[in-house]
Amino acid sequence: DIQLTQSPSFLSASVGDRVTITCRASQDSNSYFAWYQQKPGEAPKLLIYAASTLQSGVPSRFSGSGSGTEFTLTISSLQPEDFATYYCQQLNSYPLTFGGGTKVEIK
Amino acid sequence: QVQLEESGPGLVKPSGTLSLTCAVSGDSITNTYWWSWIRQPPGKGLEWIGEINHLGATISNPSLKGRVTISADKSKNQFSLNLTSVTAADTAVYHCVRKKMGDGRSADFWGQGTLVTVSS
């Protein structure tokens, strides 16, 4: 199984901050990598797929990069509606796996 | 707009079978996607359970030790999950999901989720 180590697990930031979340894979995931945002009581929402492609309707302040074993999600200027938990996922090989999550809270 | 909606019992007894159905609207399960189940224990992260594709091929997480069956009913445009021999560790919110194939593979539409509690 490909293990995903997501860091940090918790992040405190202010509106307007630039935020970076990292996910390291235990094996090569090529670029079959996605990022999701989840707010309390809601289903996860797809933000980024293929490591760096923005899902339709997602604001351009979100971006993804990386390939192989290291991937990042960046929010260029944190907005109030961005406070949530973020998950990475590898879709290169079965079983599909997720990172442990990063909770972004208001500073 | 694609919509997925989970249904099934919210309470299952230990050693019993958890059975959920996902009704899909706005798309056909015969289109070229994987139709997946993902769960989230209360306060914890996401776990992929398994999926079925448009041809009826299935694959599931080996960590669930053969307890998973996923099937589809094309006439009703829905797919289902059966998880046998459940324990308290199977208590979770269960989401059904549409997953794109190919280079853009990702879970692009999610059901709201249904909480299933395993308890006597």
Side-chain angles (χ1 to χ4, degrees):
Chain A
D1 299 9
I2 297 180
Q3 310 298 324
L4 299 183
T5 303
Q6 194 172 336
S7 61
S9 55
F10 177 85
L11 188 159
S12 181
S14 301
V15 172
D17 283 354
R18 181 181 181 88
V19 167
T20 298
I21 299 168
T22 297
C23 208
R24 289 188 173 85
S26 61
Q27 301 172 43
D28 188 353
S29 297
N30 291 300
S31 293
Y32 299 125
F33 209 83
W35 291 94
Y36 303 89
Q37 176 194 66
Q38 187 178 33
K39 297 180 180 179
E42 297 184 5
K45 171 189 171 184
L46 176 64
L47 298 175
I48 301 283
Y49 63 91
S52 61
T53 302
L54 196 66
Q55 171 71 350
S56 175
V58 174
S60 59
R61 62 181 180 273
F62 291 92
S63 64
S65 64
S67 65
T69 61
E70 187 153 337
F71 300 86
T72 59
L73 173 71
T74 299
I75 310 171
S76 60
S77 177
L78 200 64
Q79 298 302 300
E81 60 268 30
D82 301 336
F83 292 95
T85 300
Y86 294 83
Y87 293 94
C88 57
Q89 183 194 26
Q90 67 82 20
L91 300 102
N92 183 62
S93 63
Y94 289 109
L96 307 184
T97 49
F98 290 89
T102 296
K103 187 172 185 180
V104 177
E105 290 201 341
I106 301 173
K107 195 172 195 177
Chain B
Q1 177 77 338
V2 179
Q3 292 187 313
L4 299 96
E5 184 172 5
E6 306 88 352
S7 61
L11 180 64
V12 181
K13 292 189 185 323
S15 78
T17 297
L18 180 159
S19 296
L20 296 174
T21 296
C22 181
V24 179
S25 58
D27 198 358
S28 170
I29 64 169
T30 61
N31 287 340
T32 310
Y33 295 99
W34 285 95
W35 303 92
S36 311
W37 289 96
I38 292 170
R39 70 180 182 180
Q40 186 170 33
K44 296 187 178 181
L46 300 163
E47 180 183 28
W48 175 79
I49 298 170
E51 55 199 30
I52 186 167
N53 71 10
H54 59 294
L55 299 175
T58 60
I59 187 161
S60 60
N61 197 326
S63 70
L64 294 169
K65 297 180 172 62
R67 298 190 293 130
V68 173
T69 302
I70 297 173
S71 59
D73 186 334
K74 296 177 183 178
S75 67
K76 295 182 179 179
N77 207 39
Q78 62 188 34
F79 62 106
S80 299
L81 169 69
N82 273 10
L83 180 66
T84 60
S85 304
V86 297
T87 69
D90 295 309
T91 294
V93 173
Y94 286 75
H95 295 276
C96 57
V97 173
R98 188 185 85 167
K99 195 191 88 178
K100 296 187 291 183
M101 294 186 177
D103 289 347
R105 60 190 74 168
S106 54
D108 61 347
F109 285 97
W110 295 64
Q112 180 63 26
T114 187
L115 174 63
V116 179
T117 302
V118 178
S119 175
S120 55

